[in-house]
Amino acid sequence: MKQKVWNKVYSVIFADYLSKIITKKMKEGTVKFFNEAKGFGFVRETSTGQEYFVHATGLIDKVRENDEITFDLKEGRKGLNAVDVKLAK
């Protein structure tokens, strides 16, 4: 009996976890500035106008100024950083 209850609890927790992953939406924006030689730059989120630091290690695709991109945010040492930055399709 206890095993069936725990299986049900785990199923509910796992379903909730999956729904959060599936519904996660990447942010959209543009590259404001990126210096390839120094390996960093800034991106601007389209919906809010907020700007975020991006390091070369956070890039999936090669980017240039004014490129339209999608990205996620991750807490860095000095605030939020753009990560998983890729060109918008």
Side-chain angles (χ1 to χ4, degrees):
M1 181 69 173
K2 286 184 181 180
Q3 185 64 33
K4 285 185 179 183
V5 171
W6 280 111
N7 285 344
K8 202 170 236 183
V9 169
Y10 290 134
S11 294
V12 170
I13 292 170
F14 187 68
D16 182 55
Y17 173 74
L18 279 180
S19 71
K20 287 178 183 173
I21 291 173
I22 292 169
T23 59
K24 181 179 177 183
K25 186 171 189 253
M26 305 234 352
K27 298 186 179 301
E28 297 175 347
T30 56
V31 177
K32 179 181 176 188
F33 161 82
F34 191 79
N35 184 322
E36 261 189 80
K38 294 184 178 183
F40 74 90
F42 294 90
V43 300
R44 177 178 286 141
E45 185 178 1
T46 302
S47 63
T48 64
Q50 187 77 19
E51 293 180 7
Y52 301 102
F53 176 82
V54 61
H55 189 267
T57 58
L59 300 178
I60 293 175
D61 296 325
K62 187 175 180 178
V63 297
R64 295 182 303 176
E65 193 172 312
N66 297 319
D67 280 348
E68 292 184 8
I69 55 166
T70 61
F71 61 96
D72 281 324
L73 294 174
K74 183 176 182 181
E75 189 67 38
R77 286 188 280 159
K78 296 183 179 181
L80 292 173
N81 294 339
V83 295
D84 299 331
V85 178
K86 57 186 167 187
L87 296 172
K89 302 214 181 224

mmCIF file of all heavy atoms in Angstrom, residues 5 10 22 46 48 58 60 67-68 73-75 78:
data_model
loop_
_atom_site.group_PDB
_atom_site.id
_atom_site.type_symbol
_atom_site.label_atom_id
_atom_site.label_comp_id
_atom_site.label_asym_id
_atom_site.label_seq_id
_atom_site.Cartn_x
_atom_site.Cartn_y
_atom_site.Cartn_z
ATOM 1 N N VAL A 5 1.289 4.575 -2.835
ATOM 2 C CA VAL A 5 1.156 5.986 -2.467
ATOM 3 C C VAL A 5 2.406 6.756 -2.904
ATOM 4 O O VAL A 5 2.317 7.828 -3.497
ATOM 5 C CB VAL A 5 0.908 6.141 -0.950
ATOM 6 C CG1 VAL A 5 0.998 7.598 -0.531
ATOM 7 C CG2 VAL A 5 -0.437 5.547 -0.566
ATOM 8 N N TYR A 10 5.555 10.472 -6.398
ATOM 9 C CA TYR A 10 6.655 10.691 -7.339
ATOM 10 C C TYR A 10 6.139 11.054 -8.730
ATOM 11 O O TYR A 10 6.717 11.892 -9.411
ATOM 12 C CB TYR A 10 7.557 9.455 -7.431
ATOM 13 C CG TYR A 10 8.377 9.215 -6.196
ATOM 14 C CD1 TYR A 10 8.473 7.953 -5.643
ATOM 15 C CD2 TYR A 10 9.077 10.241 -5.579
ATOM 16 C CE1 TYR A 10 9.236 7.715 -4.503
ATOM 17 C CE2 TYR A 10 9.838 10.025 -4.448
ATOM 18 C CZ TYR A 10 9.907 8.757 -3.918
ATOM 19 O OH TYR A 10 10.666 8.542 -2.797
ATOM 20 N N ILE A 22 9.220 22.008 -20.022
ATOM 21 C CA ILE A 22 8.611 22.122 -21.342
ATOM 22 C C ILE A 22 8.130 23.540 -21.608
ATOM 23 O O ILE A 22 8.249 24.048 -22.714
ATOM 24 C CB ILE A 22 7.463 21.103 -21.495
ATOM 25 C CG1 ILE A 22 8.051 19.687 -21.528
ATOM 26 C CG2 ILE A 22 6.643 21.376 -22.739
ATOM 27 C CD1 ILE A 22 7.040 18.584 -21.421
ATOM 28 N N THR A 46 14.325 42.183 -25.759
ATOM 29 C CA THR A 46 13.357 42.922 -26.553
ATOM 30 C C THR A 46 12.167 43.411 -25.734
ATOM 31 O O THR A 46 11.773 44.570 -25.837
ATOM 32 C CB THR A 46 12.850 42.041 -27.720
ATOM 33 O OG1 THR A 46 13.982 41.638 -28.497
ATOM 34 C CG2 THR A 46 11.875 42.783 -28.604
ATOM 35 N N THR A 48 11.716 43.983 -22.476
ATOM 36 C CA THR A 48 11.907 44.875 -21.330
ATOM 37 C C THR A 48 12.936 45.978 -21.568
ATOM 38 O O THR A 48 12.957 46.956 -20.823
ATOM 39 C CB THR A 48 12.380 44.079 -20.092
ATOM 40 O OG1 THR A 48 13.667 43.525 -20.376
ATOM 41 C CG2 THR A 48 11.383 43.000 -19.722
ATOM 42 N N GLY A 58 29.177 31.782 -22.904
ATOM 43 C CA GLY A 58 27.719 31.684 -22.896
ATOM 44 C C GLY A 58 27.110 31.644 -24.284
ATOM 45 O O GLY A 58 25.887 31.633 -24.432
ATOM 46 N N ILE A 60 26.265 29.988 -27.965
ATOM 47 C CA ILE A 60 26.108 28.748 -28.725
ATOM 48 C C ILE A 60 26.491 29.020 -30.179
ATOM 49 O O ILE A 60 27.171 28.225 -30.815
ATOM 50 C CB ILE A 60 24.672 28.206 -28.613
ATOM 51 C CG1 ILE A 60 24.410 27.761 -27.177
ATOM 52 C CG2 ILE A 60 24.436 27.073 -29.607
ATOM 53 C CD1 ILE A 60 23.004 27.311 -26.894
ATOM 54 N N ASP A 67 22.538 41.425 -34.147
ATOM 55 C CA ASP A 67 21.943 40.113 -34.424
ATOM 56 C C ASP A 67 20.743 39.893 -33.508
ATOM 57 O O ASP A 67 20.771 40.271 -32.333
ATOM 58 C CB ASP A 67 22.945 38.977 -34.170
ATOM 59 C CG ASP A 67 23.922 38.776 -35.299
ATOM 60 O OD1 ASP A 67 23.717 39.348 -36.382
ATOM 61 O OD2 ASP A 67 24.906 38.035 -35.088
ATOM 62 N N GLU A 68 19.682 39.293 -34.047
ATOM 63 C CA GLU A 68 18.544 38.897 -33.228
ATOM 64 C C GLU A 68 18.866 37.542 -32.620
ATOM 65 O O GLU A 68 19.330 36.630 -33.319
ATOM 66 C CB GLU A 68 17.274 38.830 -34.070
ATOM 67 C CG GLU A 68 16.836 40.201 -34.551
ATOM 68 C CD GLU A 68 15.517 40.166 -35.299
ATOM 69 O OE1 GLU A 68 14.859 39.109 -35.323
ATOM 70 O OE2 GLU A 68 15.163 41.206 -35.853
ATOM 71 N N LEU A 73 18.909 33.304 -18.800
ATOM 72 C CA LEU A 73 19.658 34.081 -17.813
ATOM 73 C C LEU A 73 20.160 33.172 -16.703
ATOM 74 O O LEU A 73 19.480 32.224 -16.317
ATOM 75 C CB LEU A 73 18.777 35.177 -17.210
ATOM 76 C CG LEU A 73 18.337 36.269 -18.178
ATOM 77 C CD1 LEU A 73 17.356 37.206 -17.497
ATOM 78 C CD2 LEU A 73 19.535 37.041 -18.703
ATOM 79 N N LYS A 74 21.348 33.491 -16.218
ATOM 80 C CA LYS A 74 21.937 32.733 -15.116
ATOM 81 C C LYS A 74 22.641 33.728 -14.191
ATOM 82 O O LYS A 74 23.289 34.658 -14.664
ATOM 83 C CB LYS A 74 22.933 31.712 -15.657
ATOM 84 C CG LYS A 74 23.545 30.833 -14.602
ATOM 85 C CD LYS A 74 24.447 29.792 -15.239
ATOM 86 C CE LYS A 74 25.032 28.877 -14.176
ATOM 87 N NZ LYS A 74 25.919 27.880 -14.763
ATOM 88 N N GLU A 75 22.505 33.509 -12.894
ATOM 89 C CA GLU A 75 23.145 34.396 -11.924
ATOM 90 C C GLU A 75 24.657 34.257 -12.009
ATOM 91 O O GLU A 75 25.198 33.158 -11.957
ATOM 92 C CB GLU A 75 22.668 34.039 -10.514
ATOM 93 C CG GLU A 75 23.094 35.032 -9.464
ATOM 94 C CD GLU A 75 22.461 36.396 -9.600
ATOM 95 O OE1 GLU A 75 21.265 36.473 -9.958
ATOM 96 O OE2 GLU A 75 23.156 37.397 -9.359
ATOM 97 N N LYS A 78 28.392 39.136 -10.667
ATOM 98 C CA LYS A 78 27.987 40.545 -10.568
ATOM 99 C C LYS A 78 26.558 40.777 -11.054
ATOM 100 O O LYS A 78 26.211 41.875 -11.453
ATOM 101 C CB LYS A 78 28.948 41.416 -11.370
ATOM 102 C CG LYS A 78 30.359 41.394 -10.827
ATOM 103 C CD LYS A 78 31.240 42.321 -11.606
ATOM 104 C CE LYS A 78 32.641 42.333 -11.051
ATOM 105 N NZ LYS A 78 33.511 43.249 -11.786
#
